[in-house]
Every structure is written in structure tokens, then in C-alpha cells.
Amino acid sequence: MNAEVKDEVKKTIKKQNIQLVDGEFTVSEANDIVKNLINEKINFHKLQRLSLCEGFLKSNTEFPDSRIGQLQNDKKISNEFFRDQFGKNVTVTINGVLEITINE
């Protein structure tokens, strides 16, 4: 495939899937994976909120604030879910696909 054809194919791709997590884990490992993913997303929204407020403290931060609250609640639910599994002879399967779509 020549360079022009490759460039044209790249331009037409509008969707991509990334297999972010795929496997079987101990309860502790699964808990760490989920907790860390949620924490990263919380940190993203905290930085987004900080960026909005930079130079204008009365910026509308309703969206990042609500997402942070939702994610903190999800983290609490996740912790309770995994807490019930500690000490049991079980494994956890995680299939985390990140689906990315270009919207025009």
C-alpha cells in the first residue's frame, strides 16, 4: 500500500476501539485496576475544573463538578462490590473497551 492510499484510509477512519483492560484478575488486582481508572478520570475532571477557573473564579464548573461526584459515587459502589469478594476463592474478569468515535 503506497503512502497516498494509507493517508486516505487514515482520513476515513471514524471509529477506534482500544482494549484498555482484558483479563482475569484476583479481587485485589481488579479492585486496584478499577480504583485507579476511576481516580485518573476524577483527576482529569479536577484539572478541567481548575483550568476553567483559572483567571475567572466564577466560571461554570457544573459539568466537571457533577462528573466528579458521579465518579466518586461509582468508586464507593465499586469498593463495596469488591469488599464483599475479598477472602473468597474467586477471580474477576474485566473487559474494558474504550470506544472512540469522531463526530462531524
Side-chain angles (χ1 to χ4, degrees):
M1 193 179 289
N2 68 33
E4 288 179 24
V5 173
K6 285 182 182 177
D7 287 343
E8 193 59 35
V9 169
K10 285 182 183 178
K11 290 178 188 175
T12 61
I13 296 173
K14 302 291 183 194
K15 192 173 193 178
Q16 180 182 12
N17 289 330
I18 298 172
Q19 187 70 48
L20 199 57
V21 183
D22 184 24
E24 190 171 319
F25 305 93
T26 66
V27 173
S28 180
E29 291 169 334
N31 183 45
D32 287 344
I33 290 168
V34 172
K35 181 174 55 177
N36 288 328
L37 287 170
I38 292 172
N39 283 339
E40 283 299 318
K41 190 65 176 157
I42 289 170
N43 288 337
F44 169 80
H45 286 294
K46 286 181 177 180
L47 289 172
Q48 185 182 41
R49 181 177 59 192
L50 181 63
S51 178
L52 287 171
C53 291
E54 211 169 310
F56 186 62
L57 295 178
K58 294 184 181 183
S59 293
N60 183 355
T61 61
E62 186 176 328
F63 177 74
D65 291 341
S66 68
R67 281 298 292 143
I68 290 167
Q70 289 170 353
L71 289 163
Q72 287 171 333
N73 188 54
D74 289 342
K75 188 165 75 168
K76 179 182 168 191
I77 291 167
S78 173
N79 284 336
E80 291 170 3
F81 174 78
F82 286 117
R83 186 177 338 125
D84 292 341
Q85 303 309 314
F86 281 109
K88 295 180 181 177
N89 189 24
V90 298
T91 60
V92 179
T93 300
I94 301 176
N95 178 25
V97 177
L98 183 61
E99 183 179 297
I100 304 166
T101 305
I102 302 298
N103 303 309
E104 294 181 6

